[in-house]
Amino acid sequence: DDLPLGHVVLGALAAAATCGLLWSVRRRPVALFGLVWFCLALAPASQVMPHHLQRGDRFLYLPLIGLVAAAATALVRARPLVGGRPAVLASVAAGLGLLLLLTNLSVTQVRHWRDEVTLWEHCAFVEPNNPRAHGYLAGAYERAGQAGRAEASYRKAIRLSPNTVWVLNNYAIFLTSDDAPRLEDHRLAVELADRGCRLTEWRDPDVTHTLARAHTALANTHAAAGRFSLAVEHYYKALEAHPEYDMPLFNLAMLLSTCRDESLRDPAKAVQLAEQGRGLADTLDAHRLSILATVYGEAGRFEEAVGAMREAIEAARANGDANELARLRGYLRRLENRVPLTAPP
């Protein structure tokens, strides 16, 4: 982004003042060394060449050694000016006042580093038009469970920089998260993730996975509302965006095997999709295994259905979910009796 004109002018004035100061101490080697040390040590973190580290007080530790050395030489040269008791007392008072001021500033600054929320709040306060600061602040709010503030910060970051891919990706994930159901917006999540995919030319697997996740969440919403054709459409869009993502395979298989719309039911296709999902899944939890068992049961493959449901029960037992365990045991009894789970009791 283009820098504001005011920033450019202030930067030029600072550079000119620095050059003038260095010229004025050219015959004082210690002071010159200290100032050059300060400039060179500060340069890598100065954002003259922008980089990803927005805030880091520690970057001043090494440069300040040179600044202190230069200041010490100035104090030594001023020593002859301090004559008599009143001047000495005034110098001591001034030194103590400066020490108290620096102590107060340090205490204030340390408060900003209390946690990541206070750190990024301070960054956003110092640079209110910095999209990175608002993007990181949104993530910090999200991890702290402050969903409303996270959503507001994501929106501000997007408004300041509409094409920052990692912000688009993180915001889309946030909008499909179960942690903040009030703020779920699956359509917007699809829009954001799709923009991220186009900006990266579909080469970033993290962003394509997020798009698949957003399409899956939107498909789930359509399915729950009885809009089954739209659900099928978005499940296939999820698979097109990221073929290695297993959840749309399982959910689509479940829909095709249990859908109330007979024109969409396809048990054989559902089995194919569920088995494909099983091959892709990193972890087969109780939810995925129960879908596999349901799909097998709807296709009349009860032996395989019983085996998958027993695996689901073991997974639920390992997870310590008593309610899920009781529900799956009820399903197992029906499958052992060769009754599909969608059949009336």
Side-chain angles (χ1 to χ4, degrees):
D1 296 337
D2 294 333
L3 285 173
L5 179 61
H7 289 192
V8 175
V9 172
L10 289 174
L13 290 175
T18 301
C19 292
L21 182 60
L22 292 173
W23 177 259
S24 69
V25 298
R26 65 189 184 280
R27 292 193 172 91
R28 300 171 190 167
V30 176
L32 181 61
F33 172 80
L35 291 175
V36 170
W37 173 295
F38 176 75
C39 293
L40 292 178
L42 188 62
S46 65
Q47 290 286 348
V48 172
M49 294 295 291
H51 52 77
H52 70 286
L53 293 172
Q54 300 298 307
R55 298 288 294 168
D57 292 355
R58 64 187 181 280
F59 296 144
L60 279 174
Y61 298 163
L62 187 61
L64 283 175
I65 295 173
L67 196 60
V68 169
T73 61
L75 290 174
V76 169
R77 292 182 66 83
R79 187 172 58 184
L81 302 177
V82 181
R85 186 180 181 85
V88 171
L89 290 176
S91 299
V92 171
L96 290 174
L98 179 61
L99 182 62
L100 288 173
L101 174 63
L102 293 175
T103 301
N104 182 61
L105 290 173
S106 297
V107 169
T108 302
Q109 190 67 6
V110 165
R111 291 196 188 104
H112 299 320
W113 289 88
R114 184 174 67 245
D115 54 49
E116 63 172 345
V117 170
T118 56
L119 169 62
W120 290 112
E121 283 179 338
H122 181 59
C123 291
F125 173 77
V126 172
E127 295 189 60
N129 294 321
N130 187 322
R132 282 183 173 271
H134 289 286
Y136 288 129
L137 177 58
Y141 279 141
E142 186 178 352
R143 287 184 288 276
Q146 302 180 42
R149 290 184 174 183
E151 202 267 347
S153 292
Y154 275 127
R155 286 189 177 274
K156 185 158 189 178
I158 293 294
R159 187 167 64 250
L160 291 170
S161 181
N163 295 326
T164 302
V165 173
W166 66 268
V167 177
L168 292 169
N169 189 63
N170 289 357
Y171 190 14
I173 293 173
F174 170 77
L175 291 172
T176 59
S177 172
D178 294 333
D179 295 334
R182 283 191 308 106
L183 300 173
E184 285 182 351
D185 188 338
H186 301 150
R187 293 182 186 278
L188 179 58
V190 167
E191 177 188 328
L192 295 169
D194 183 70
R195 191 192 312 170
C197 287
R198 285 185 278 109
L199 288 168
T200 57
E201 298 181 344
W202 299 86
R203 295 176 182 172
D204 189 328
D206 290 335
V207 185
T208 58
H209 181 273
T210 299
L211 179 57
R213 170 175 170 163
H215 274 300
T216 302
L218 183 55
N220 294 343
T221 301
H222 284 310
R227 298 185 291 268
F228 303 119
S229 295
L230 282 174
V232 170
E233 176 185 338
H234 282 282
Y235 284 136
Y236 275 116
K237 285 183 177 181
L239 294 173
E240 181 182 355
H242 196 86
E244 293 79 24
Y245 184 36
D246 67 286
M247 209 60 237
L249 289 164
F250 279 107
N251 288 3
L252 180 56
M254 188 71 167
L255 181 59
L256 294 181
S257 65
T258 63
C259 183
R260 295 194 304 270
D261 186 344
E262 292 292 337
S263 66
L264 291 176
R265 292 188 71 159
D266 189 342
K269 181 66 174 178
V271 168
Q272 178 188 341
L273 293 168
E275 288 180 339
Q276 186 181 343
R278 180 171 192 164
L280 289 174
D282 293 329
T283 302
L284 284 170
D285 56 12
H287 176 64
R288 287 171 169 84
L289 288 166
S290 67
I291 289 177
L292 184 61
T294 301
V295 169
Y296 278 139
E298 296 303 313
R301 296 165 60 170
F302 290 104
E303 291 184 6
E304 291 162 292
V306 167
M309 189 59 74
R310 285 174 176 164
E311 289 184 61
I313 288 171
E314 289 304 314
R317 182 182 290 115
N319 197 41
D321 190 336
N323 292 332
E324 177 77 356
L325 195 58
R327 185 173 67 86
L328 294 178
R329 282 172 174 160
Y331 290 165
L332 176 60
R333 285 191 293 271
R334 296 193 66 183
L335 292 173
E336 287 175 334
N337 291 324
R338 306 181 71 80
V339 178
L341 297 184
T342 56

